[in-house]
Amino acid sequence: ANRSKPGLLEEADKGTIFFDEIGDMLQTELEGLTAGEWSLTFLKGPEWTADWEPERARALLEKAFQDPRVDGVYAGGILISKAVLDYGRPLPKPVVSGFIQDPSTLGLPISKEGFSTLPNYTFVVVPCQAADDVTLFRQIVPFRKLAVLVDDYFLRHEPNVKRQAENYAAATGLRITLVPMTASAEQSLAALPDDAEAVYLTPSVVMGSEEVQKLIDGIKARKLPSFSMMGLVDVRRGIMAGQHSEDSGRIIRRLALNIQQILMGVAPEKLPVLLETPTRLIVNAATAREIGAALPYRILQNADILYPEEAASGKPLDLRMAYEMALANNPAIAAGAEEVAQAREERVLAR
């Protein structure tokens, strides 16, 4: 039998294409999962939007908790998730968060077993550490001065971002500049230091899709090697490299399943919060060619290569051609190949 279950899709970070699409996709997935079992009502729209104002986000969260129509809250994004973590009192209703790229940024309450340590709260995150990305980035191209594009909201409201950057810089000797990323690509590009040698791009929650493309094109125009925390979605757009594949569909599916479990009576803190995904390197070969970056063969042989066509002839870059290019540009590989050839000749003579 159908059971009426009013609910709330709390989209406090709404206002960008990214969060609009995610909210719609989650609602569709959840309606499909609960069809014939639950009749859900989603409360959303301008009255449930915080417009990137922390005070309004906190007020909306309290409003949701006090609203008798609401049985649960979906905290769609970092701003409202931050309000949940700062609530300071027991959460009176179940809360589910999603789409937080780096769990260390907000200091999410994760136990060693992979569950939320905050009662009545759960979330879904893909294990991702910016420090791991930058370490891999330095193995691809050498640099000493790194510009990290960070959403302006995080720089103004989340001290963990600056603290983590300072700790990593002290441990590695890098000079890291945190660059505020606004809704304008032109403004964000203008803030890049003139002496930056590489760019690490973190997700923007206020920049539209067209502006993100302008930002990426501007980074390429400056001939700067780049690496994206978002992985494949930005590498396809022109960022040189990334480490994570697209996983929005899997996250949405997990969020919907978690909400379904909560509807069935499972405590939110009993649900796993980590969603493991492959961490294979992804490289945009066209961007690497365009900016003149010579990528190490030892890196390329274990990476997924996008747009590997040769710039001059347009022919596909197959394994043989890649190997020949490596021999021509890496003396160590050439020496190793010579040793192998000599060993083969000696075996033939011994026969």
Side-chain angles (χ1 to χ4, degrees), residues 266-316:
V266 177
E269 65 272 20
K270 301 296 183 182
L271 298 168
V273 301
L274 299 178
L275 182 63
E276 298 289 344
T277 60
T279 57
R280 190 172 175 85
L281 176 66
I282 310 157
V283 173
N284 187 317
T287 296
R289 288 192 301 270
E290 184 176 337
I291 68 174
L295 306 183
Y297 178 74
R298 60 182 174 78
I299 295 293
L300 292 178
Q301 66 181 345
N302 293 314
D304 292 329
I305 310 297
L306 301 185
Y307 318 119
E309 297 81 6
E310 284 189 301
S313 65
K315 295 179 181 179

Side-chain angles (χ1 to χ4, degrees), residues 204-220:
S204 170
V205 288
V206 297
M207 188 178 288
S209 180
E210 291 184 3
E211 288 298 303
V212 171
Q213 188 60 60
K214 291 178 183 177
L215 178 66
I216 292 173
D217 291 343
I219 294 171
K220 287 197 298 180

Side-chain angles (χ1 to χ4, degrees), residues 1-4 34-39:
N2 284 356
R3 291 173 284 179
S4 178
T34 60
E37 183 177 8
W38 301 96
S39 178

Side-chain angles (χ1 to χ4, degrees), residues 180-196:
M181 188 165 39
T182 66
S184 164
E186 182 179 0
Q187 188 176 27
S188 302
L189 286 167
L192 286 173
D194 292 335
D195 61 349

